Amino acid sequence: DAGVIQSPRHEVTEMGQEVTLRCKPISGHDYLFWYRQTMMRGLELLIYFNNNVPIDDSGMPEDRFSAKMPNASFSTLKIQPSEPRDSAVYFCASSSNLGRGGEYTEAFFGQGTRLTVV
Amino acid sequence: GNSVTQMEGPVTLSEEAFLTINCTYTATGYPSLFWYVQYPGEGLQLLLKATKADDKGSNKGFEATYRKETTSFHLEKGSVQVSDSAVYFCALIPIGGYQKVTFGTGTKLQVIP
């Protein structure tokens, strides 16, 4: 498997523009996570899905942020409109719940998308 | 709720020094515990894991033992190398329910020649 694939790797956009980040999880994984990483706040969980259903979006900072998972092999994180303070590295991760009394796989991370909003 | 507490960095060591990065956790029952490493410009990679009490995870010379009595999972390495310079994250996944990964804040390690 190619691992978790994110695109683009780098994105530079102007304030006010819409930004869409994409993620392809590892085939067969039923959990998908979106994280944001900044120097000030470290690694923050924004939202996660289980079987394509959003379970916890309490980490999404504002209504400007939205995430979808239309099928098991694709997810998007959208920021509209973008602001300079959204500049960060956004990671997608996926994992699998083996469900056998505690033996879970780890989360596998993509390479991240470095977003710069100017 | 679940939480992970790591020692604050940065940690600066000379090559071949002994490394300890402390990690303690709060969770119900017996979570699975992990150490991830993030090299500059890259995503997080699993370094090692332990899924039950007294288990020892090990990889690339790093070790961590799951201590239920002290709710700890400290990372150790006997002799660090410059190539070990990275940010290290302790994490847990709770047993049962949804598999939400909880990360610590990360500890930056810098190894100087």
Side-chain angles (χ1 to χ4, degrees):
Chain A
D1 200 313
V4 177
I5 299 173
Q6 291 187 247
S7 64
R9 289 294 309 275
H10 303 274
E11 175 82 35
V12 180
T13 190
E14 291 186 347
M15 183 174 62
Q17 297 298 305
E18 177 180 295
V19 175
T20 300
L21 311 181
R22 296 172 176 80
C23 175
K24 182 181 187 306
I26 292 174
S27 177
H29 281 188
D30 53 353
Y31 280 84
L32 184 138
F33 306 84
W34 281 103
Y35 290 89
R36 178 172 70 176
Q37 187 176 41
T38 61
M39 290 292 291
M40 292 296 295
R41 294 173 176 266
L43 193 65
E44 302 174 275
L45 176 65
L46 301 178
I47 184 172
Y48 77 100
F49 296 81
N50 177 223
N51 293 321
N52 313 337
V53 176
I55 302 302
D56 185 351
D57 64 355
S58 59
M60 297 285 261
E62 301 171 32
D63 291 346
R64 298 184 295 108
F65 286 69
S66 62
K68 295 182 179 180
M69 192 164 186
N71 57 62
S73 59
F74 184 65
S75 177
T76 60
L77 177 68
K78 186 178 293 186
I79 308 173
Q80 165 64 17
S82 59
E83 296 182 3
R85 59 196 169 114
D86 301 330
S87 298
V89 180
Y90 290 82
F91 288 104
C92 175
S94 71
S95 69
S96 171
N97 180 354
L98 300 180
R100 287 198 290 270
E103 189 69 25
Y104 297 105
T105 67
E106 68 273 20
F108 293 82
F109 280 75
Q111 294 283 71
T113 296
R114 182 173 294 278
L115 172 66
T116 303
V117 183
V118 298
Chain B
N2 301 317
S3 66
V4 175
T5 302
Q6 287 182 239
M7 62 186 288
E8 288 201 19
V11 174
T12 302
L13 295 173
S14 298
E15 209 165 17
E16 299 183 2
F18 184 87
L19 167 72
T20 300
I21 299 179
N22 290 337
C23 170
T24 57
Y25 68 89
T26 301
T28 304
Y30 291 84
S32 293
L33 301 174
F34 306 85
W35 276 101
Y36 282 82
V37 58
Q38 184 179 28
Y39 298 103
E42 298 186 11
L44 279 71
Q45 306 171 25
L46 180 69
L47 180 61
L48 54 84
K49 67 180 181 182
T51 58
K52 58 183 185 295
D54 299 325
D55 266 4
K56 177 184 284 188
S58 60
N59 185 27
K60 300 181 180 180
F62 291 88
E63 292 184 339
T65 301
Y66 189 143
R67 301 287 188 198
K68 178 65 176 176
E69 63 277 11
T70 55
T71 61
S72 64
F73 193 55
H74 305 322
L75 182 67
E76 296 181 336
K77 187 175 185 181
S79 175
V80 295
Q81 306 300 312
V82 172
S83 57
D84 293 328
S85 298
V87 181
Y88 293 82
F89 292 88
C90 186
L92 69 81
I93 295 178
I95 188 169
Y98 290 112
Q99 192 183 353
K100 180 178 177 179
V101 184
T102 298
F103 283 92
T105 52
T107 302
K108 184 175 182 178
L109 170 65
Q110 184 176 13
V111 180
I112 54 178

